[in-house]
Structure formats: C-alpha cells, structure tokens
Amino acid sequence: MSDLLSNRLGPVSSLLLALLALGGPASALADDRAALIGLINDYRQMPQQCQGKAFDAAGPLQAEARLDRAQVGNGSDLLAALQATGYQPATVRVISLSGSVTLASVAKAVTERYCATALDAQYTDIGLQQAGNSWRIILARPLLQAGLPAWEDAGRAVLQAVNAARAKPQRCGTQPVDAAPALRWSDSLAQTALAHSRDMATHNYFSHTARDGSLAGQRATRAGYAWQLVGENIAAGQGSAKQVVDGWLSSPAHCFNVMNAEFSEMGAAYAVDPQSDAGIYWTQMFGTPQ
C-alpha cells in the first residue's frame, strides 16, 4: 500500500477497462503475467466494497514462480504440493475458475466472485496456473525465516535494493519510468517507519492511517523531520528486504514512489508480532527535507 500527498490512482473501474484492452487468449498469460498481477495490485491498492463490507487497501502481491509450479489438483495434498517446490506456506488459498477465456474475464471473476480473498492483506505472493479454460490462482504467504536481521539493518538493505532499482529505468505497471538519483538514509524517517510498523504489528491492522488518526506527513513532523515532500509505502508478510522491494516494484503505485526523482531521502523498518494476521509489517518512508 502506498501513500503520497497527491493520489496517482484512477477509479477502480480502470482495472477492468485496462484488462479489456489487454484482451487476448488465455494462452497469452506468460506474456501478460506481469501486467495482470500489476492490475490486480491496483485493485488491492484501493479501499473496496465487497460482499456488503468495506475493505481497507491491501499490500502488493508478488509473482512467485514456485506457486506456478505446484502440482495442485482436486484431492491433492496442498501443503505437500507447495513444499515439493520449496515453498513453506504460513497461509494459502487456491481460487479455481473454469470457462474464463480472456484475462479480463479472469480478473473480473477474481475481483467480483472472490473479492474478499483478493483483498485479504495477509497474502503476499501469487501464482497463476492455466490449462485450457481452467485457471488456478494461488495466493499465499510464506513462513517467516528464523534469524531476521535487526530492523535498521533490514531497513538499510531496503535502501540498497531501492537504489539499485532507481539506478536504471523501470516499468511501473505499463508506464516506463526514468532512472532516478540514489536516496540517502534518514534516521528521522527510519524512526517514523519503525513506529508505524510496530503500531501495525502490535495492534494487528494494515493502513496508512494510524490508530490515532495520523498520516505519514504528520508522523514525520512529529519525529522532527521538516519536509517539503513525503511519501510512504507499507507492506505485510514479506520475510526479507528483497521480497518487500520486489513486491513494491510489482505494484504500480508503490513503484512510482520508489522511482520518484523528487525524493532525496528514505528510511525503512519492519516489526514482528506472531499473533498478528501477517506476522511482519514493513513501512518505507520517503522524504525531501526543507
């Protein structure tokens, strides 16, 4: 989930309009995979109404090749199938569809018939399987590995991965984005990120709005950061700096924050609570000081 002072996202209906533009037979999935996942991430990025309930925006899903390869079928042992690929799930859900011919019809089925699953913030990874007009969409979150680095070490690893991405042109969804100057570490932004990650983990929620009603800019000001521009990405469930940055890059709105040349500084941190839905929560704060 990303936040910036100006909202870059269009209306939710743009998801299906863009998929209709993609069109194409289901056999084109390999070529359109990144675009389809990016558009589903756009759907998750926005608060939605689903089955008569309001859902907050969810974090980005990351393509996971091991989920693509899992031999999942009727009556098969799902856990064993995933473990056979080397994927150790903390939670997993399989959506099975039949009769969907185009990418648009697949997305429409997922976002309408399975909206609660599609909007569930506990999932971090996505796998896509297709045979004829039958589809399986696997949503999962891996178990956290033991021995996570200290939060600041992980935050600086996020900075390193972000600067590697900014060093070359990227594609945020369907839009090409130029390379951007490297960011420098900010202790104030890192402490702001840490406080929000800890609040989300401890109180088991996922939102740019903290329990006290504050937003990213207010929290940065409270931490003593005098800013011209500020932005925030959040994520939940990813077990490493690489995974969380890959997830942000696969989601157009998050990617635009990562690649925004107007930002000059960054801080990032995670927090863990085993009793929470996602287990681990990440916050990435961007800023340009006054």
Side-chain angles (χ1 to χ4, degrees), residues 111-131:
T111 58
E112 291 186 357
R113 293 163 52 191
Y114 299 95
C115 56
T117 299
L119 294 169
D120 195 330
Q122 71 177 315
Y123 299 120
T124 61
D125 296 339
I126 182 171
L128 304 174
Q129 301 179 3
Q130 177 262 332

Side-chain angles (χ1 to χ4, degrees), residues 30-54:
D31 293 336
D32 294 335
R33 173 184 177 82
L36 177 58
I37 293 173
L39 290 165
I40 292 174
N41 278 334
D42 268 354
Y43 176 73
R44 285 169 60 92
Q45 170 69 18
M46 299 288 288
Q48 305 285 357
Q49 288 290 325
C50 167
Q51 299 174 353
K53 299 179 181 178

Side-chain angles (χ1 to χ4, degrees), residues 30-237:
D31 293 336
D32 294 335
R33 173 184 177 82
L36 177 58
I37 293 173
L39 290 165
I40 292 174
N41 278 334
D42 268 354
Y43 176 73
R44 285 169 60 92
Q45 170 69 18
M46 299 288 288
Q48 305 285 357
Q49 288 290 325
C50 167
Q51 299 174 353
K53 299 179 181 178
F55 279 72
D56 291 333
L61 296 168
Q62 179 182 353
E64 173 53 71
R66 290 174 295 180
L67 298 180
D68 298 342
R69 299 194 305 268
Q71 298 298 309
V72 177
N74 294 332
S76 64
D77 186 327
L78 178 58
L79 179 61
L82 293 174
Q83 290 177 338
T85 69
Y87 191 94
Q88 300 289 336
T91 185
V92 61
R93 172 73 186 273
V94 179
I95 297 173
S96 296
L97 303 171
S98 61
S100 297
V101 178
T102 65
L103 296 178
S105 62
V106 174
K108 184 173 174 31
V110 171
T111 58
E112 291 186 357
R113 293 163 52 191
Y114 299 95
C115 56
T117 299
L119 294 169
D120 195 330
Q122 71 177 315
Y123 299 120
T124 61
D125 296 339
I126 182 171
L128 304 174
Q129 301 179 3
Q130 177 262 332
N133 291 340
S134 295
W135 296 75
R136 288 194 185 93
I137 298 171
I138 305 174
L139 303 179
R141 172 171 56 88
L143 287 172
L144 286 178
Q145 300 299 309
L148 285 169
W151 73 264
E152 185 172 346
D153 292 337
R156 289 183 180 273
V158 168
L159 175 64
Q160 183 177 8
V162 163
N163 282 338
R166 288 168 67 93
K168 54 189 178 182
Q170 299 288 338
R171 183 171 291 275
C172 296
T174 59
Q175 183 174 333
V177 181
D178 291 336
L183 300 172
R184 60 182 176 267
W185 182 260
S186 165
D187 286 331
S188 293
L189 291 177
Q191 288 295 332
T192 305
L194 177 63
H196 191 52
S197 291
R198 285 177 171 170
D199 197 48
M200 289 191 293
T202 301
H203 299 283
N204 194 27
Y205 73 95
F206 184 76
S207 176
H208 290 292
T209 304
R211 291 178 307 121
D212 63 3
S214 64
L215 297 174
Q218 295 168 302
R219 294 191 291 271
T221 299
R222 187 187 301 161
Y225 187 79
W227 52 273
Q228 301 178 46
L229 182 67
V230 70
E232 180 182 73
N233 283 345
I234 59 176

